Amino acid sequence: MIYAGAAFCEIAGCFAFWAWLKNGKPALVAIPGMLALVAFAWLLTCVETAYAGRAYAAYGGIYIVASLVWLGLVEGQRPTATDLIGSLICVVGAVVILSGLGAPTTGK
């Protein structure tokens, strides 16, 4: 749930800047965008893992799925079959990372 919340905040924050800089919306849309990006960064610190890089790597898979949900719900574009297959591959990768498979048992 933390990753899903982080993904929503990151996408919403970046989309606010996209709307301002690419779609001609008023600059004020960047303010809630900045707040959403701060919330995104804070949420990633709530993930239980010893290393930030591992949290970010696993988050990547969830972010891709959330981006495709955003594509459909907010932008009104239907994800393609290759979008869906690619996101499934990424989620499997995120699950492998989070499961700790292959993680060293001692030391760093």
Side-chain angles (χ1 to χ4, degrees):
M1 292 309 295
I2 293 172
Y3 280 138
F8 172 79
C9 289
E10 183 179 13
I11 295 165
C14 291
F15 187 77
F17 280 87
W18 182 277
W20 168 40
L21 297 170
K22 301 277 273 181
N23 292 345
K25 299 294 182 190
L28 289 175
V29 301
I31 294 171
M34 288 186 286
L35 295 173
L37 290 171
V38 168
F40 151 72
W42 174 75
L43 282 167
L44 279 188
T45 67
C46 297
V47 174
E48 291 297 324
T49 185
Y51 301 100
R54 190 164 289 132
Y56 304 153
Y59 165 72
I62 305 309
Y63 176 82
I64 290 168
V65 171
S67 296
L68 294 177
V69 170
W70 185 277
L71 177 71
L73 295 179
V74 176
E75 298 184 73
Q77 296 296 310
R78 187 181 184 107
T80 65
T82 54
D83 291 335
L84 298 174
I85 293 166
S87 66
L88 178 62
I89 291 167
C90 293
V91 167
V92 169
V95 168
V96 170
I97 291 167
L98 288 173
S99 73
L101 294 176
T105 56
T106 60
K108 275 192 158 186

